[in-house]
Coordinates of all heavy atoms in Angstrom, one line a residue:
G1 N 0.8 -1.2 0.0 CA 0.0 0.0 0.0 C 0.8 1.3 0.0 O 0.3 2.4 -0.2
A2 N 2.1 1.1 0.2 CA 3.0 2.3 0.2 C 3.6 2.6 -1.2 O 4.4 3.5 -1.3 CB 4.2 2.1 1.2
A3 N 3.2 1.8 -2.1 CA 3.6 2.0 -3.5 C 2.5 2.7 -4.3 O 1.3 2.4 -4.1 CB 4.0 0.7 -4.2
T4 N 2.9 3.5 -5.2 CA 1.9 4.2 -6.1 C 2.4 3.9 -7.6 O 3.6 4.3 -7.9 CB 1.8 5.7 -5.9 OG1 1.4 5.9 -4.6 CG2 0.8 6.3 -6.9
V5 N 1.6 3.3 -8.4 CA 2.0 3.1 -9.8 C 1.4 4.3 -10.6 O 0.2 4.5 -10.5 CB 1.5 1.8 -10.4 CG1 1.8 1.7 -11.9 CG2 2.1 0.6 -9.6
I6 N 2.2 5.0 -11.3 CA 1.8 6.2 -12.1 C 2.1 5.8 -13.6 O 3.2 5.6 -14.0 CB 2.6 7.4 -11.7 CG1 2.4 7.7 -10.2 CG2 2.2 8.6 -12.6 CD1 3.4 8.7 -9.6
R7 N 1.0 5.8 -14.3 CA 1.1 5.4 -15.8 C 1.3 6.7 -16.6 O 0.6 7.7 -16.4 CB -0.2 4.7 -16.2 CG -0.3 3.3 -15.7 CD 0.7 2.4 -16.3 NE 0.4 1.0 -16.0 CZ 0.9 0.0 -16.6 NH1 1.7 0.1 -17.6 NH2 0.5 -1.2 -16.3
V8 N 2.2 6.6 -17.5 CA 2.5 7.7 -18.5 C 2.4 7.1 -19.9 O 2.5 5.9 -20.1 CB 3.9 8.3 -18.2 CG1 4.0 8.9 -16.9 CG2 5.0 7.3 -18.4
P9 N 2.2 7.9 -20.9 CA 2.0 7.4 -22.3 C 3.2 6.6 -22.8 O 3.0 5.5 -23.3 CB 1.8 8.7 -23.1 CG 1.4 9.7 -22.2 CD 2.0 9.4 -20.9
G10 N 4.4 7.1 -22.6 CA 5.5 6.4 -23.2 C 6.8 6.8 -22.5 O 6.8 7.5 -21.5
A11 N 7.9 6.3 -22.9 CA 9.2 6.5 -22.3 C 9.6 8.0 -22.4 O 10.2 8.5 -21.4 CB 10.3 5.7 -23.0
F12 N 9.2 8.7 -23.4 CA 9.6 10.1 -23.6 C 9.0 11.0 -22.5 O 9.6 12.0 -22.1 CB 9.2 10.6 -25.0 CG 9.8 11.9 -25.4 CD1 11.2 11.9 -25.8 CD2 9.1 13.1 -25.3 CE1 11.8 13.1 -26.2 CE2 9.7 14.3 -25.7 CZ 11.1 14.3 -26.1
E13 N 7.8 10.6 -22.0 CA 7.1 11.4 -21.0 C 7.6 11.0 -19.5 O 7.3 11.7 -18.6 CB 5.6 11.1 -21.1 CG 5.0 11.7 -22.3 CD 5.3 10.8 -23.6 OE1 5.5 9.6 -23.5 OE2 5.2 11.4 -24.7
M14 N 8.4 10.0 -19.4 CA 8.8 9.5 -18.1 C 9.6 10.6 -17.3 O 9.3 10.8 -16.1 CB 9.5 8.2 -18.1 CG 8.6 7.0 -18.5 SD 9.5 5.5 -18.9 CE 10.0 5.1 -17.3
P15 N 10.6 11.2 -17.9 CA 11.4 12.2 -17.1 C 10.6 13.3 -16.5 O 10.8 13.7 -15.3 CB 12.4 12.7 -18.1 CG 12.5 11.6 -19.1 CD 11.1 11.0 -19.2
L16 N 9.6 13.9 -17.2 CA 8.8 15.0 -16.7 C 8.0 14.5 -15.5 O 8.0 15.2 -14.5 CB 7.9 15.5 -17.8 CG 6.9 16.6 -17.3 CD1 7.7 17.8 -16.8 CD2 6.0 17.0 -18.4
V17 N 7.4 13.4 -15.6 CA 6.5 12.9 -14.5 C 7.4 12.5 -13.3 O 7.1 12.8 -12.2 CB 5.7 11.7 -15.0 CG1 4.9 11.1 -13.8 CG2 4.7 12.2 -16.1
C18 N 8.6 11.9 -13.6 CA 9.5 11.5 -12.5 C 10.0 12.8 -11.8 O 10.1 12.8 -10.6 CB 10.7 10.7 -13.0 SG 10.3 9.0 -13.4
Q19 N 10.2 13.8 -12.6 CA 10.7 15.1 -12.0 C 9.6 15.6 -11.0 O 9.9 16.1 -9.9 CB 11.0 16.1 -13.1 CG 11.5 17.4 -12.5 CD 11.8 18.4 -13.7 OE1 11.1 18.4 -14.7 NE2 12.8 19.2 -13.5
R20 N 8.3 15.6 -11.5 CA 7.2 16.1 -10.6 C 7.1 15.3 -9.4 O 6.8 15.8 -8.3 CB 6.0 16.2 -11.4 CG 4.7 16.7 -10.7 CD 4.8 18.2 -10.5 NE 5.0 19.0 -11.7 CZ 4.1 19.5 -12.4 NH1 2.8 19.3 -12.2 NH2 4.4 20.2 -13.5
V21 N 7.2 13.9 -9.6 CA 7.1 13.0 -8.4 C 8.2 13.3 -7.4 O 7.9 13.4 -6.2 CB 7.1 11.6 -8.9 CG1 7.3 10.6 -7.7 CG2 5.9 11.2 -9.7
A22 N 9.4 13.5 -7.9 CA 10.5 13.8 -7.0 C 10.3 15.1 -6.2 O 10.6 15.2 -5.0 CB 11.8 13.7 -7.8
A23 N 9.9 16.1 -7.0 CA 9.7 17.4 -6.4 C 8.6 17.4 -5.3 O 8.6 18.3 -4.4 CB 9.4 18.4 -7.5
S24 N 7.6 16.5 -5.4 CA 6.5 16.4 -4.5 C 7.0 16.1 -3.1 O 6.3 16.3 -2.1 CB 5.5 15.4 -5.0 OG 5.9 14.1 -4.7
K25 N 8.1 15.4 -3.0 CA 8.7 15.0 -1.7 C 7.8 14.0 -1.0 O 7.9 13.8 0.2 CB 9.0 16.1 -0.7 CG 9.8 17.2 -1.4 CD 11.2 17.2 -0.9 CE 12.0 18.4 -1.4 NZ 13.1 18.1 -2.2
K26 N 6.8 13.3 -1.7 CA 5.9 12.3 -1.1 C 6.5 10.9 -1.1 O 6.0 10.0 -0.5 CB 4.6 12.3 -1.9 CG 3.8 13.6 -1.8 CD 2.6 13.4 -2.7 CE 1.8 14.7 -2.7 NZ 0.6 14.6 -3.6
Y27 N 7.6 10.7 -1.9 CA 8.2 9.4 -2.1 C 9.6 9.4 -1.7 O 10.4 10.3 -2.0 CB 7.9 8.9 -3.5 CG 6.5 8.9 -3.9 CD1 5.9 10.0 -4.5 CD2 5.7 7.8 -3.6 CE1 4.5 10.0 -4.8 CE2 4.3 7.8 -3.9 CZ 3.8 8.9 -4.5 OH 2.4 8.9 -4.8
D28 N 10.1 8.3 -1.2 CA 11.5 8.1 -0.8 C 12.3 7.7 -2.1 O 13.5 8.0 -2.1 CB 11.6 7.0 0.2 CG 10.9 7.3 1.5 OD1 11.3 8.3 2.1 OD2 9.9 6.6 1.8
G29 N 11.7 7.1 -3.0 CA 12.4 6.7 -4.2 C 11.4 6.5 -5.4 O 10.2 6.4 -5.2
I30 N 12.0 6.4 -6.6 CA 11.2 6.2 -7.8 C 11.8 5.0 -8.6 O 13.0 4.9 -8.7 CB 11.2 7.5 -8.7 CG1 10.7 8.7 -7.9 CG2 10.5 7.2 -10.0 CD1 11.0 10.0 -8.6

């Protein structure tokens, strides 16, 4: 329950979403 799966369209979109996830400070790792 401490994991969140976030779906993105493709590989090219992954960096932007990972950046937002990291900036949220809600997760210890990605």
Side-chain angles (χ1 to χ4, degrees):
T4 301
V5 176
I6 302 166
R7 290 292 193 160
V8 298
F12 195 77
E13 294 76 25
M14 291 171 72
L16 176 61
V17 175
C18 286
Q19 181 180 35
R20 182 69 55 91
V21 167
S24 78
K25 308 258 188 239
K26 294 178 185 175
Y27 301 94
D28 299 297
I30 301 168

